[in-house]
Amino acid sequence: MGMVNEKIKIGKKEISTRIVMPPIATYQSTDDGMVTEKMLDYYGERAANRHTGMVITEHSYIDIGGK
């Protein structure tokens, strides 16, 4: 896999691999935009994968205007 498995530095943070999971709208937040246990479990499973260097989470909001 060559470069994919190499570490990369972003600012002061070192990422273990160059594989990044992009944000995916799973619509697992509540109707008012709050994070749920189901959402935390979903991203926790992906973050536990040693091949994924970074996980970018989906949207959540504290005000409907931020949706």
Side-chain angles (χ1 to χ4, degrees):
M1 287 194 127
M3 286 183 54
V4 172
N5 289 324
E6 291 179 15
K7 294 179 180 179
I8 187 171
K9 196 165 189 172
I10 302 173
K12 294 181 180 181
K13 179 70 176 168
E14 187 173 82
I15 309 299
S16 61
T17 72
R18 294 172 182 236
I19 298 175
V20 176
M21 180 186 151
I24 300 170
T26 63
Y27 299 102
Q28 294 180 11
S29 60
T30 63
D31 289 339
D32 59 350
M34 302 298 290
V35 174
T36 63
E37 285 297 319
K38 188 175 180 180
M39 182 187 261
L40 293 173
D41 291 343
Y42 173 83
Y43 284 104
E45 288 174 18
R46 276 124 192 103
N49 181 333
R50 66 181 181 88
H51 299 292
T52 305
M54 179 177 12
V55 175
I56 303 173
T57 60
E58 64 190 274
H59 62 280
S60 57
Y61 49 92
I62 57 171
D63 184 272
I64 192 69
K67 185 177 180 183

